[in-house]
């Protein structure tokens, strides 16, 4: 019981106890924002640069800059009376656009890799929280069952309760998923 009492002391001295669901969710959102800020703060210069370039390339401004650039380039090199530096079929423009595509695709891939790492961390955190919640729910179900027996409450025999009181084994779930995927894949290929 000492651990429970010390926990109660901690809870009662907490200055930021939420009083509404909105305050509780605001605390959760703030926690997530802090976790993501810490992740972003640890990025290297090249990672930050790649993210900025990828973000700009995905904007409408990028599109309009290219429409203007291509329009001026093609116009300059096709209108009579201008000094042409890249006549039709615009070989130099093709070279420049090809080089740009190579570099932009590299920046975008680096940015996607960074996003993938962040997504993987979020998924891992989500899995850990879900496993913890499952363990807590199993423990609460067992405790409620014991409390009901102790106070003499009549409980309808439900075999599902006995099953739910068992701890979930994630490795068994993974095997079930693999088996189901294999079965579906073999049915599709037949």
């Amino acid at each position: 019981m000492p651990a429970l009492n010390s926990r109660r002391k901690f809870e009662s001295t907490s200055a930021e106890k939420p009083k509404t669901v909105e305050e509780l969710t605001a605390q959760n959102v703030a926690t997530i924002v802090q976790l993501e800020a810490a992740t972003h703060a640890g990025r290297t210069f090249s990672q930050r640069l790649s993210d900025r370039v990828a973000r700009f390339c995905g904007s409408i401004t990028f599109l309009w800059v290219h429409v203007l650039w291509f329009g001026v380039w093609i116009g300059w090199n096709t209108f009579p009376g201008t000094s042409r530096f890249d006549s039709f079929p615009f070989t130099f423009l093709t070279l420049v656009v090809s080089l740009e595509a190579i570099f932009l695709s590299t920046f975008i891939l680096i940015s996607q890799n960074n996003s993938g790492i962040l997504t993987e961390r979020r998924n891992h955190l989500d899995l850990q929280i879900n496993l913890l919640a499952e363990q807590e729910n199993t423990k609460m179900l067992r405790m409620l069952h014991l409390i009901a027996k102790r106070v003499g409450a009549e409980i309808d025999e439900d075999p599902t309760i006995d099953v739910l009181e068992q701890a979930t084994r994630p490795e068994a779930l993974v095997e079930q998923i693999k088996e189901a995927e294999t079965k579906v894949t073999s049915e599709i290929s037949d």
Side-chain angles (χ1 to χ4, degrees), residues 83-102:
S83 59
R84 296 181 179 153
F85 60 90
D86 188 23
S87 299
F88 183 81
F90 311 111
T91 308
F92 186 57
L93 177 62
T94 304
L95 171 71
V96 171
V97 170
S98 297
L99 289 173
E100 178 190 37
I102 291 168

Side-chain angles (χ1 to χ4, degrees), residues 25-154:
T25 55
Q27 280 183 355
N28 293 341
V29 168
T31 301
I32 291 168
V33 167
Q34 288 173 349
L35 287 171
E36 293 204 5
T39 299
H40 287 297
R43 294 180 307 163
T44 64
F45 172 76
S46 61
Q47 289 172 326
R48 288 191 308 271
L49 176 66
S50 296
D51 287 343
R52 284 189 193 120
V53 169
R55 197 172 22 252
F56 176 69
C57 291
S59 70
I60 195 72
T61 304
F62 182 78
L63 173 69
W64 286 117
V65 165
H66 279 75
V67 167
L68 180 65
W69 172 32
F70 295 149
V72 168
W73 188 297
I74 292 169
W76 188 273
N77 287 288
T78 56
F79 285 123
T82 59
S83 59
R84 296 181 179 153
F85 60 90
D86 188 23
S87 299
F88 183 81
F90 311 111
T91 308
F92 186 57
L93 177 62
T94 304
L95 171 71
V96 171
V97 170
S98 297
L99 289 173
E100 178 190 37
I102 291 168
F103 283 104
L104 289 181
S105 62
T106 303
F107 281 120
I108 290 168
L109 286 172
I110 292 169
S111 182
Q112 286 178 340
N113 285 342
N114 295 336
S115 295
I117 290 168
L118 181 60
T119 300
E120 196 173 307
R121 286 180 185 160
R122 287 179 188 151
N123 289 340
H124 188 68
L125 176 63
D126 191 38
L127 176 63
Q128 294 301 320
I129 290 170
N130 287 337
L131 287 172
L132 180 61
E134 189 279 329
Q135 291 166 349
E136 289 172 344
N137 287 336
T138 300
K139 187 71 172 176
M140 284 188 287
L141 186 59
R142 286 181 187 154
M143 291 171 68
L144 285 173
H145 197 167
L146 290 171
I147 290 170
K149 281 183 179 178
R150 181 153 302 176
V151 297
E154 294 207 17

